[in-house]
Amino acid sequence: MRLLITLLFLSFSSFTYSQQINIDEFIADMERNKTMSLSYVDAMPADKFSYKPAEDVRTYAQQFLHISQGLIGLSSNGTGAAPIFQGENLEATEAYQTKAEVKRIVTESYDFAIKSMKEMDASTLNEVVQRGQFNVTRLGWINKAMEHNTHHKGQCAVYLRMNGITPPQFQLF
């Protein structure tokens, strides 16, 4: 019986440890993503933040405000932290359309996501959280935050190139 209890304890400890490794990896990826996103914000001249390649798409500023809003909402679903900028539509707020404001909001959104992940209980990563029609694990929501971020940052690379600017080098590690 003692052996069984010891094995169960070790199994649970190993699982909890592996979940913490997942969170630590996501935090490192999120910090790297923050650096990359801010380099994209810095790459575009301030007078080009209203640029959009077609009438029916977001401006450069709106892209990053959308990235920020998604990062806040999706990571909040994953971590359980109360989202910042609650009730605001960041990309529709005229006062946020400048380079300085975009940089501030991008920074705050990443800081929120990183802090939330650092403070969350890693043993809850497999809990399912329902938002609307979606039932996704906490880990899944954090993955979606990263996926959404990457998707829209990729679009921003095109905006930069259309303005004759080479996008910042991708940082895989």
Side-chain angles (χ1 to χ4, degrees):
M1 182 67 161
R2 180 177 275 175
L3 178 61
L4 179 61
I5 291 171
T6 301
L7 289 174
L8 286 172
F9 175 76
L10 290 174
S11 294
F12 181 72
S13 296
S14 175
F15 174 74
T16 302
Y17 177 73
S18 71
Q19 294 294 63
Q20 187 59 49
I21 290 172
N22 282 342
I23 284 294
D24 292 344
E25 288 175 3
F26 275 110
I27 291 167
D29 284 345
M30 195 65 74
E31 288 171 343
R32 180 178 47 79
N33 245 297
K34 175 184 175 183
T35 299
M36 284 178 33
S37 291
L38 290 172
S39 69
Y40 269 65
V41 170
D42 288 339
M44 184 68 91
D47 66 337
K48 298 285 187 186
F49 269 66
S50 61
Y51 172 77
K52 55 183 177 176
E55 196 54 41
D56 61 341
V57 298
R58 293 178 176 97
T59 65
Y60 195 74
Q62 289 170 333
Q63 283 282 19
F64 277 99
L65 295 169
H66 180 76
I67 287 169
S68 296
Q69 191 107 50
L71 180 59
I72 293 163
L74 294 167
S75 64
S76 176
N77 291 346
T79 65
I84 57 175
F85 297 107
Q86 190 142 14
E88 290 189 63
N89 181 342
L90 298 178
E91 69 182 274
T93 303
E94 190 62 36
Y96 296 156
Q97 304 298 313
T98 67
K99 182 173 185 169
E101 281 299 290
V102 167
K103 188 169 187 171
R104 177 184 70 82
I105 290 169
V106 167
T107 300
E108 288 180 23
S109 69
Y110 276 101
D111 289 347
F112 165 79
I114 291 164
K115 181 178 187 271
S116 299
M117 285 189 282
K118 285 179 177 178
E119 293 176 351
M120 80 175 291
D121 179 357
S123 70
T124 66
L125 283 173
N126 289 323
E127 286 180 5
V128 174
V129 176
Q130 181 178 0
R131 292 292 184 264
Q133 65 187 16
F134 303 107
N135 292 307
V136 180
T137 64
R138 292 188 180 283
L139 179 60
W141 285 114
I142 293 169
N143 271 321
K144 295 297 178 197
M146 295 291 278
E147 181 181 335
H148 178 262
N149 176 312
T150 302
H151 169 75
H152 288 284
K153 194 163 29 222
Q155 293 175 340
C156 291
V158 175
Y159 285 48
L160 288 169
R161 289 204 183 275
M162 292 182 80
N163 281 279
I165 300 165
T166 301
Q169 180 66 40
F170 178 69
Q171 301 169 15
L172 186 57
F173 297 99

